[in-house]
Structure formats: C-alpha cells, structure tokens
Amino acid sequence: MAGPVVSDRIWTVPNLLSMLRLLGVPLFLWLVLVPEADWWALLVLAFAGVSDWLDGKIARAWNQASRLGQFLDPLADRLYIFAALLGLVIRGIVPWWLMAILVLRDVLIIGALPLLRHFGYGPLPVNFAGKAATLCLLYSFPLLFVAEYASLVADVARIIGWAFALWGTALYWWAGSLYAVQGLRLIDQTRRAERTDHEGVRTGVPDGDTRGGHTDRHDPTAPATVDGDPGAEPEGPDPRGHRDQGGTMP
C-alpha cells in the first residue's frame, strides 16, 4: 500500500497548527520564567501536545502531508523540549546534567547532517524509539512542574515525572544510536557503489566481457588445447597403457 503523497504546499491546516505550536514556545518560556505562572504554562504545553496529535491526524485524513510539515513538526517538538528543560533548570527543578545529556544528543545528530548531505542524503526519518522518547519527555515536564507544589498529588507527580524523564532520556539516546547505525549503513552503501563505478570506469570493460580481448573463463565445450595449439594432445597417461620409465603405479 502506497504512503501518503507529500506535497510542497505551505498553507495547510496541519502546517498552521505547527506554526501555532512554534509561536507557543516563547510564550511558554516567558510564563515559566517571568511570572512563574506554571498552570498557564501547562495549558500551553497541553495545547502543544493536542495540536501535535491533531496535525498528524488531519494530514493523513485530508491528504495534506507536506515537506514543510515534515520539517516543522519535529522542530516544534525539539523546541518545546529545550524550552521546558531550560525553564526547569533555571527554576532549579531538574539538574543541569539532564539538559546537557539531552542537548548533547541533538548536537551530535545535527552535526552529522552535513556528512549525510555530502553523500546525497537528507535528514533521516523519525523512528519509533524517537517518537516514544519525545512522548515520554513531554509527559514528564508537566508532571515535574506540578511536583513543585506541596501535596500528595505532587509527590505522586514527582515519581511518575522522573520515571518518564529517565525513560525518555534513555530512549532519546537509543533512537540516536539507531540513527547513527542507519546513517553509517547508507554511507557505506554509497561508498561501495562509488567504488564499483570507479573500477568499471578504470577498466573500461564490464566483468566477464570478452569483446576485443581475452577471457580467463574456461569454456567447457571448447576442445582441449596445449599451449594454445588445438591440435596438440594434452599430457596425461600413455594411451597405450604402458608405464613411463621410472614411473610407479598410483
């Protein structure tokens, strides 16, 4: 079954939803850091999560998948993760090393893009582990914000939030390793193909081609020859059945 057609359209409903999500990133960060209006910030995160799910559904149902949407959707996810992490770190809710671990993976992935482009490949498609990691992280951040308020709910939110955060971080790096393996395989395939093409150009004759030259491959239907003379008899046992002088029976 063929996948959805990806167009070059810009003004589609999914793209508009993705643009609204992007506009919510600075608003979310301002709400977290300036007035510390956490509940309003959580509403922005909730809108981002719902719109993320909705734009994919609409793109598939209305056949509005686009290249711009394929770029905007993961970009919005990354920016929300970064903004939420930055707010949590500045507020002292999560340690800085968690943000460093997650940002380092993205830096390595972005750093590999020029190498992939050099071999004719664009960004790799998002795999299932990457989607699961993003989902876990986006679930964890609201819970960690809620955990700042003293109550029984906050204690439960802290435990669940950290569980999602740690699982999301592990999956984030696992997805990165899968991207690395996939990228290395693509590069290796390209190098092998280039090496084969180069050898074909250098020899000028495809493998096994005998036009205008000599082939070492033996033709089983050709008569036996000795030193290129088809009339000579091949060496072997004496056809008269005698032994050679000084020879022994096998």
Side-chain angles (χ1 to χ4, degrees), residues 77-78 81 126-140 164-165 167-172 174-175 179:
D77 289 340
R78 296 295 175 274
I81 289 174
V126 179
N127 55 39
F128 179 78
K131 293 179 180 179
T134 300
L135 185 65
C136 287
L137 291 173
L138 291 178
Y139 267 125
S140 71
F164 272 119
W167 272 109
T169 302
L171 286 172
Y172 210 58
W174 174 246
Y179 293 137

Side-chain angles (χ1 to χ4, degrees), residues 220-238:
T221 63
T225 63
V226 176
D227 295 332
D229 183 5
E233 293 183 0
E235 294 182 0
D238 189 344

Side-chain angles (χ1 to χ4, degrees), residues 138-216:
L138 291 178
Y139 267 125
S140 71
F141 299 146
L143 292 171
L144 292 175
F145 276 114
V146 172
E148 284 300 289
Y149 297 89
S151 67
L152 179 60
V153 174
D155 294 336
V156 175
R158 182 177 295 105
I159 295 172
I160 299 176
W162 271 108
F164 272 119
L166 295 177
W167 272 109
T169 302
L171 286 172
Y172 210 58
W173 274 91
W174 174 246
S177 67
L178 295 179
Y179 293 137
V181 170
Q182 184 181 2
L184 290 174
R185 286 177 177 173
L186 291 173
I187 291 172
D188 182 62
Q189 290 174 4
T190 303
R191 283 178 171 172
R192 288 175 182 269
E194 290 177 349
R195 193 180 303 118
T196 301
D197 293 342
H198 177 71
E199 290 176 354
V201 171
R202 181 167 54 84
T203 58
V205 179
D207 185 28
D209 195 345
T210 60
R211 290 173 295 178
H214 173 70
T215 178
D216 292 329

Side-chain angles (χ1 to χ4, degrees), residues 50-79:
V50 172
S51 63
D52 186 24
W53 172 82
L54 193 59
D55 64 9
K57 286 287 186 181
I58 293 175
R60 289 186 292 270
W62 296 358
N63 195 25
Q64 291 189 353
S66 66
R67 290 179 177 83
L68 179 61
Q70 290 178 339
F71 171 76
L72 292 178
D73 190 57
L75 175 64
D77 289 340
R78 296 295 175 274
L79 289 177

